[in-house]
Amino acid sequence: MNHKAGFVNIIGSPNVGKSTLMNALVGEGLSIITPKAQTTRHRILGMVHGEDFQIVFSDTPGMIQAVYPLQKAMMTFVKISLQDADVLLYMTETGQSDPQKDTKFLEKPQKTNIPLIVLINKIDQTTQQALEEAVVHWHDRFPKARILPISALKKLNTELLLEIITKLLPEHPPYYPKDMLTDKPKRFFVNELIREKILLLYEKEIPYSVEVVTEQFKERDDLIHISCLIFVERNSQKGILIGHRGQALKKLGIQSRESLEIFFSKKIFLEFHVKTNKNWRSDSQQLKRLGYIS
Ligand code: GDP
Ligand code: MG
C-alpha cells in the first residue's frame, strides 16, 4: 500500500477562520479561536491521520503589516509556511477585498507549482451573489488554483476538502507517529487556553500586552497541578489584570480552570502569579526565551 503524507499550511488575513478550520479538521481545540484579531501567535501543527495518509496542518498567525518585533517574529512563521508546504490553503471570506499586496506572497509558490486551494470561508453567512463574485475574483487571480467555498464553523465542505488534499499529497511515509495530534507540548496548550480567556475577558490593549508562561505542570493520576506566570508590560496593566480586590483575576482563574479540565479531561489545580515585564514585546532576548525567535 502506498502511503501519502505532507504538510498543508493554512494562511490568510486575521479572523477569516483559519484556526476554526484546523480545529474542525483535526477535531480538537488545538488552536485558540476568538473574535479578536491576532489570536494566534505561534505556528501550530495539527495532524489528521488515515490508514494510508497523514496530513500535517499548520495554522499560522494572520498576515499583517508587522510593527512590533513580536509581530515581525509572527510573520516569520508565515513566511516559513509558504516555503515548506506540499499544499497551500489560502483562506478568505466573501466581501473581503483583495488589495494585491495581501496575496502577492502567493505568486511565488504558484510559480514553483505548490498546489494552492483558495478557501472562501463563512458561506453560512453570505449571499449567493457575494459568493459567486468571490469565486470569479479568485479564479481570475489564481487560474491554477482550486476554489472551494466552505464553512469551517458549520463544517460545510470540510470533508470534501480533506479528500481533495489527500489526492494532492505526495507519496511519503508518515512524518509523525499516528497517534500524535500536535507537535506542541501540554504546557503550550495551557498558555494558549489561558490567553484565550484573557482575550475574551479583558479590553483594549491588555490581551496584546500579556504573555502566559506555565512554570509548573505536575500531572498525577487524578489531578494536574498547574502554576502559571502571567506577565504584562506595565504596572498599570497589572492592576487591571488583577482587578478590584482580585475579582478579575479570580474570574480568569475560574474560567481557565473550566477550559483546562475539559481539554485535559482531568481535575485541575491552577495558580497564577502576575508580574510586570517591561516592554517584553520589543525585547529580542525575551522573545527568544518565549520561543518567538530562534
Ligand atoms: P483566524 O484569525 O483566521 O484564525 O480566525 P478564527 O478561527 O480565530 O475565527 C475568527 C472568527 O470567525 C471566530 O469568531 C469564528 O467563530 C468565526 N468563524 C470562523 N469560521 C466561520 C464560519 O464558517 N462561519 C461563521 N459564521 N463564522 C466563522
Ligand atoms: Mg488563528
Side-chain angles (χ1 to χ4, degrees), residues 14-15 31 41 61 113 135 174 190 201 225 230 244 269 275 283:
N15 266 324
S31 217
R41 283 183 185 166
N113 282 324
V135 171
V190 175
L201 285 172
H225 186 135
I230 303 180
H244 182 58
F269 178 84
K275 221 173 102 178
D283 179 344

Side-chain angles (χ1 to χ4, degrees), residues 15 18-20 31-33 39-40 59-62:
N15 266 324
K18 298 179 296 298
S19 299
T20 307
S31 217
I32 67 172
I33 299 165
T39 310
T40 310
D59 180 18
T60 57

Side-chain angles (χ1 to χ4, degrees), residues 195-211:
R195 222 160 52 70
E196 175 178 57
K197 295 295 171 236
I198 293 172
L199 275 155
L200 295 170
L201 285 172
Y202 296 89
E203 303 269 283
K204 298 198 184 108
E205 95 281 9
I206 295 287
Y208 303 103
S209 313
V210 158
E211 180 68 317

